[in-house]
Amino acid sequence: FGDDGHDSPGQIIYDHNDNSFQFVTNTGERFRFASSGQLGVAGANYGTSGQVLTSGGASSAPSWAAAAGGVNTPAFGAYENGTAQSIANTTTTLMQFATVAFDTDSCFDNTATNYKFTPDVAGKYFFYAKMTYGDSFGTNQDKVGSLEIRKNGTGITWQQTMSVYPCNQCSGIVEMNGSSDYVQCYTWQNYGSNRALYSIAMGQVFYGFRIIE
């Protein structure tokens, strides 16, 4: 297609060599359809699998780009290994999540005295924890068991239950710096003597993942 100023600034070309259909404006190829239906931008640029076509606005050509969104990682899930951890009276105690169900980026440390998640990507994270005492607290109305999630040693969310067998659940959204910030779980009880957590493997669990923003 042309005019008095130029004989062929616009073209529609079918190329039998590769069976592509090409669209040209201002003497440059802008789009093409390849033989299997692929969409090419500015020639044989088909992007990569999963990419989307993104507008360049009123003055620039579109281009291939990664799709918006992402994955909820780093993420982890851990639980106690079936051993009934003993909790001393009126002593805030680190919970021992020794068994790792999954850990996408190897950020959960399940070694003794640690049992913590230190993500290597900054962002907002959702955390959930659950615990149950296996030893009876009786019917005393002033005896409680509690659960707390802590970031860098400081509590961010907690729950306390007054029950024969205290069971608590906690969750929260926390900003993590992706380097030194870590989270752990603690429990506390005031029965008057040692109380053991429920010994079933999934009686105590701790999960977390990064939120896509």
Side-chain angles (χ1 to χ4, degrees):
F1 304 96
D3 54 27
D4 293 340
H6 201 293
D7 59 355
S8 58
Q11 303 176 51
I12 299 176
I13 303 169
Y14 189 88
D15 188 340
H16 286 281
N17 293 317
D18 60 7
N19 291 311
S20 66
F21 203 21
Q22 304 164 19
F23 295 83
V24 176
T25 63
N26 195 25
T27 70
E29 183 182 344
R30 307 308 176 188
F31 286 100
R32 75 165 57 188
F33 291 101
S35 59
S36 296
Q38 310 98 303
L39 176 62
V41 179
N45 174 15
Y46 303 112
T48 58
S49 179
Q51 287 189 313
V52 296
L53 198 59
T54 303
S55 172
S59 302
S60 300
S63 60
W64 295 110
V71 293
N72 295 98
T73 56
F76 77 98
Y79 57 93
E80 291 202 352
N81 60 8
T83 301
Q85 182 182 355
S86 181
I87 310 301
N89 184 58
T90 63
T91 302
T92 302
T93 305
L94 176 65
M95 295 185 64
Q96 300 171 358
F97 295 102
T99 303
V100 179
F102 64 91
D103 185 12
T104 62
D105 293 63
S106 300
C107 294
F108 187 80
D109 184 351
N110 66 336
T111 58
T113 73
N114 288 310
Y115 307 110
K116 64 183 179 181
F117 177 65
T118 309
D120 55 6
V121 178
K124 293 182 177 66
Y125 285 76
F126 175 83
F127 296 107
Y128 168 83
K130 184 195 77 170
M131 56 77 60
T132 305
Y133 276 90
D135 283 345
S136 172
F137 278 52
T139 57
N140 299 309
Q141 296 300 305
D142 61 341
K143 306 304 180 185
V144 300
S146 67
L147 170 65
E148 183 179 33
I149 299 176
R150 293 184 175 185
K151 172 186 172 182
N152 302 336
T154 300
I156 56 175
T157 181
W158 74 288
Q159 184 183 50
Q160 179 174 281
T161 302
M162 188 181 301
S163 173
V164 176
Y165 295 96
C167 177
N168 298 292
Q169 300 181 69
C170 286
S171 63
I173 296 174
V174 186
E175 189 83 37
M176 306 293 283
N177 64 12
S179 57
S180 59
D181 285 345
Y182 65 91
V183 289
Q184 297 169 305
C185 288
Y186 286 80
T187 185
W188 180 93
Q189 59 88 13
N190 67 342
Y191 176 75
S193 60
N194 290 3
R195 296 283 89 185
L197 298 180
Y198 195 29
S199 61
I200 189 171
M202 297 300 288
Q204 338 298 331
V205 297
F206 188 23
Y207 293 93
F209 58 85
R210 184 171 62 90
I211 297 171
I212 299 173
E213 298 187 74

